[in-house]
């Protein structure tokens, strides 16, 4: 018998030279017929946990304004819209931007959370989303100088009071977003304090409504972004000038949110990682800020978007165009990130997670077009770790 340690029970003397030298050429994941098999447990559908909240997968419905409310109140449209994405399999279902005061709305038809009736309408939605196995999330924000405009299908033009808008806009500085837009008032210290108190009160109502994740909107040219970017912040006090001063309003916003938002629940931050305009907020700034926030330990994920603060922006639009932003922030700061930006195919979404470019994929238009996108993606990726709603199981044959 052979004394080779790997000989086992086979006698090398009975093997031909050809048998001794043959090596199986199959790579990992192939069967005997050299058919490559997908992992039945795709990365996209593996659970992920932030603080005490565990989601069934890495798919997040991006906050997408519906412009369909009245007096800041949600209605059946919002219930069906968000409920459908929960039954469709998304792991995280976030509301559209919900505003902390009336003049902070983007349009007269946007949602708010400055009173208890608004809270109670949203509570019904949060409860249903959670019952379907998704994490109910809410995004809070303030439009600042980009408030009081028409709905997209009505032109998104600035609205005056006689057109149903308002004229008490505020911002970091008295600079309009673009020519022909209203000139906002530069916020005084007392107005900043009042805005922070409104955010704190809205956070309390979000908690009372039963949401389990909260995202602070610091992107797309809205109020927090207006303080961050030197293009819109020309202040000469403690809220303007240096990087440290320009991030102060954001840090104070995070602080008041955490006064009402429990330690066991996650807090996300949507950030425009670059203004795409020379002299504006940069990706380097975003990495620096993310590292700072990770060290402080109050924010759990950066939702990496871009642009929206200056009409001169030059954005290179293509599927996945913002994935490199999420990847760099994640790699260089250590902060968890969400990748967003025309991610539409299951394979692209799976690659983002599998390759460590982000921790979540944040889908907007893809989920608007198809509420069941996650279930269809699971079928395409041949996932065996996804449970369909029993009411829809009969459709899982395609």
């Amino acid at each position: 018998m052979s004394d080779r340690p790997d000989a086992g029970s086979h006698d090398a003397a009975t093997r031909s030279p050809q048998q001794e030298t043959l090596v199986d050429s199959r790579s990992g994941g192939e069967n005997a017929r050299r058919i490559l098999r997908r992992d039945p447990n795709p990365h996209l559908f593996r659970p992920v946990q932030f603080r005490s909240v565990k989601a069934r997968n890495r798919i997040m419905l991006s906050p997408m304004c519906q412009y369909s409310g009245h007096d800041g109140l949600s209605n059946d449209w919002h219930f069906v819209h968000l409920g459908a994405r929960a039954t469709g399999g998304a792991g995280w279902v976030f509301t559209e931007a919900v505003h902390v005061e009336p003049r902070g709305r983007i349009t007269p038809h946007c949602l708010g959370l400055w009173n208890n009736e608004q809270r109670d309408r949203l509570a019904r939605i949060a409860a249903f989303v959670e019952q379907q196995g998704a994490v109910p999330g809410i995004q809070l924000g303030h439009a600042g100088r980009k408030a009081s405009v028409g709905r997209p299908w009505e032109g998104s033009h600035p609205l005056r009071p006689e057109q149903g808008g308002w004229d008490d806009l505020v911002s970091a500085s008295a600079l309009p977003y673009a020519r022909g837009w209203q000139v906002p008032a530069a916020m005084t210290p007392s107005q900043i304090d009042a805005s922070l108190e409104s955010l704190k009160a809205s956070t309390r109502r979000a908690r009372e409504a039963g949401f389990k994740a909260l995202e602070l909107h610091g992107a797309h040219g809205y109020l927090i972004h207006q303080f961050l970017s030197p293009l819109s912040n020309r202040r000469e006090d403690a809220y303007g000038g240096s990087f440290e001063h320009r991030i102060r309003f954001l840090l104070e916003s995070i602080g008041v949110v955490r006064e009402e938002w429990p330690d066991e629940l996650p807090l996300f931050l949507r950030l425009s990682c670059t203004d795409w305009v020379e002299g504006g907020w940069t990706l380097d700034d975003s990495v620096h800020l993310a590292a700072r926030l990770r060290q402080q330990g109050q924010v759990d994920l950066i939702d990496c978007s871009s642009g929206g603060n200056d009409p001169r922006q030059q954005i290179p639009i293509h599927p996945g165009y913002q994935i490199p932003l999420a990847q760099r922030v994640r790699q260089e700061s250590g902060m968890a990130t969400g990748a967003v930006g025309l991610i539409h195919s299951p394979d692209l979404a799976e690659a983002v997670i599998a390759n460590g470019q982000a921790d979540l994929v944040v889908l907007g238009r893809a989920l608007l077009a198809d509420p069941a996108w996650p279930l269809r993606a699971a079928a395409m990726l041949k996932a065996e770790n996804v449970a369909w709603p029993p009411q829809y199981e009969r459709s899982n044959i395609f």
Side-chain angles (χ1 to χ4, degrees):
M1 299 290 290
S2 170
D3 60 358
R4 290 169 52 210
D6 59 342
S9 59
H10 298 285
D11 189 342
T14 66
R15 298 180 181 177
S16 68
Q18 291 81 4
Q19 288 176 316
E20 286 292 331
T21 59
L22 285 176
V23 177
D24 194 324
S25 65
R26 286 175 290 166
S27 61
E30 288 184 329
N31 67 9
R33 295 172 61 85
R34 297 206 63 178
I35 298 173
L36 188 64
R37 296 182 180 273
R38 283 188 179 269
D39 187 336
N41 181 29
H43 296 77
L44 187 62
F45 290 97
R46 296 178 187 178
V48 62
Q49 183 166 341
F50 293 97
R51 299 187 186 248
S52 68
V53 177
K54 187 175 185 178
R56 59 190 172 191
N57 60 49
R58 309 299 185 101
I59 302 167
M60 171 178 156
L61 170 64
S62 183
M64 299 293 286
C65 289
Q66 299 297 292
Y67 312 104
S68 300
H70 180 70
D71 291 334
L73 292 164
S74 59
N75 52 45
D76 286 347
W77 175 269
H78 303 91
F79 183 89
V80 172
H81 164 65
L82 296 170
R85 277 72 195 171
T87 58
W92 305 80
V93 174
F94 272 79
T95 68
E96 61 195 83
V98 177
H99 301 92
V100 302
E101 61 170 326
R103 69 177 173 185
R105 291 171 295 165
I106 303 167
T107 77
H109 306 280
C110 287
L111 301 187
L113 196 49
W114 59 81
N115 65 46
N116 290 344
E117 184 180 4
Q118 295 162 343
R119 175 199 65 190
D120 296 342
R121 293 273 192 102
L122 288 168
R124 173 174 175 250
I125 296 174
F128 183 79
V129 166
E130 189 167 26
Q131 289 166 9
Q132 309 316 306
V135 176
I138 186 169
Q139 185 190 71
L140 295 181
H142 191 300
R145 68 178 185 174
K146 292 182 72 175
S148 189
V149 300
R151 293 182 286 194
W153 53 87
E154 297 168 343
S156 294
H157 302 304
L159 298 178
R160 298 291 179 178
E162 61 271 20
Q163 300 171 307
W166 48 96
D167 59 5
D168 56 344
L169 275 60
V170 294
S171 184
S173 298
L175 299 170
Y177 168 68
R179 181 181 301 175
W181 287 57
Q182 294 189 52
V183 178
M187 295 177 76
T188 65
S190 63
Q191 287 177 319
I192 290 174
D193 290 342
S195 180
L196 292 171
E197 284 301 312
S198 295
L199 175 59
K200 182 177 178 179
S202 294
T203 301
R204 171 177 54 80
R205 292 189 178 97
R207 170 174 51 80
E208 294 169 347
F211 289 99
K212 296 299 186 291
L214 188 150
E215 179 169 273
L216 189 59
H217 200 342
H220 301 164
Y222 299 124
L223 186 59
I224 289 175
H225 189 179
Q226 292 161 27
F227 274 87
L228 292 175
S229 175
L231 298 175
S232 48
N233 185 344
R234 304 288 176 80
R235 301 175 73 98
E236 297 179 352
D237 61 2
Y239 290 94
S242 69
F243 174 87
E244 291 295 327
H245 286 183
R246 285 183 285 109
I247 69 172
R248 179 177 175 176
F249 181 66
L250 168 61
L251 297 182
E252 291 181 351
S253 298
I254 293 169
V256 298
V257 166
R258 272 297 177 197
E259 289 179 23
E260 288 288 348
W261 196 244
D263 287 341
E264 64 269 19
L265 297 182
L267 173 61
F268 296 172
L269 171 65
R270 171 156 276 193
L271 195 64
S272 279
C273 292
T274 173
D275 281 336
W276 300 109
V277 177
E278 186 176 353
W281 182 265
T282 68
L283 182 53
D284 287 340
D285 292 329
S286 295
V287 171
H288 187 189
L289 175 61
R292 172 84 166 267
L293 295 177
R294 182 175 183 271
Q295 185 178 29
Q296 290 183 347
Q298 294 179 305
V299 172
D300 301 287
L301 177 139
I302 303 294
D303 181 356
C304 296
S305 191
S306 68
N309 195 44
D310 193 302
R312 296 172 297 171
Q313 64 190 15
Q314 297 294 319
I315 302 178
I317 300 293
H318 55 79
Y321 69 101
Q322 294 174 144
I323 293 172
L325 307 180
Q327 181 176 9
R328 185 172 166 204
V329 170
R330 187 177 191 266
Q331 290 179 345
E332 296 188 19
S333 73
M335 174 71 79
T337 62
V340 61
L342 302 185
I343 299 172
H344 66 287
S345 75
D347 280 329
L348 177 58
E350 169 69 3
V352 168
I353 304 301
N355 292 328
Q357 294 173 292
D359 300 271
L360 301 180
V361 289
V362 185
L363 305 182
R365 289 166 176 81
L367 276 170
L368 289 185
D370 184 0
W373 188 97
L375 297 179
R376 295 181 187 277
M380 184 174 292
L381 296 174
K382 304 189 184 306
E384 298 177 4
N385 57 341
V386 176
W388 284 56
Q391 299 93 329
Y392 292 167
E393 283 178 339
R394 286 167 293 175
S395 67
N396 188 17
I397 61 172
F398 302 108

